[in-house]
Amino acid sequence: RMVDAISAWSQCMRDAGFDLADPEQVDVVLLAELEGIAGPPDNPNAEIDQAALAALQAKEVSMVNADIACEEEHIRPVEEEVRAEYEVAFREQNADLLTQVPAP
């Protein structure tokens, strides 16, 4: 289910103009583009193309807004359902162990 949800997220992002395979790529792509403009983080004196930086900032806002919307629609509902199922299974499989955990 999560593979299908991520695939749907990816299509949603493509529809918004961003060709990404999974949500983890959002930060990776933006950071790579930032380093292309500003250089590596260990070079604080790099000359920065302000127009390119402003364009990247606009792209970042657009990409992150699309990511949030696509995650809300395609990933979050499935993730909540799957997580709940795993938590129930964990509690059932570890009932004896959980009785040994002191109350907070």
Side-chain angles (χ1 to χ4, degrees), residues 25-102:
Q25 287 186 307
V26 172
D27 291 336
V28 172
V29 166
L30 292 171
L31 182 58
E33 290 187 28
L34 177 60
E35 286 184 4
I37 295 168
D42 61 353
N43 185 8
N45 299 321
E47 204 166 303
I48 298 173
D49 178 344
Q50 293 300 315
L53 182 59
L56 176 59
Q57 289 169 331
K59 178 180 180 177
E60 177 184 22
V61 169
S62 179
M63 184 184 288
V64 169
N65 283 334
D67 174 39
I68 290 168
C70 292
E71 280 196 32
E72 281 289 322
E73 182 177 352
H74 300 287
I75 293 178
R76 189 148 301 131
V78 176
E79 186 176 53
E80 289 173 0
E81 180 181 303
V82 169
R83 177 178 288 125
E85 291 172 8
Y86 273 94
E87 288 174 356
V88 167
F90 178 85
R91 285 191 301 274
E92 289 173 355
Q93 293 168 3
N94 295 285
D96 292 339
L97 179 62
L98 290 172
T99 61
Q100 298 173 28
V101 177

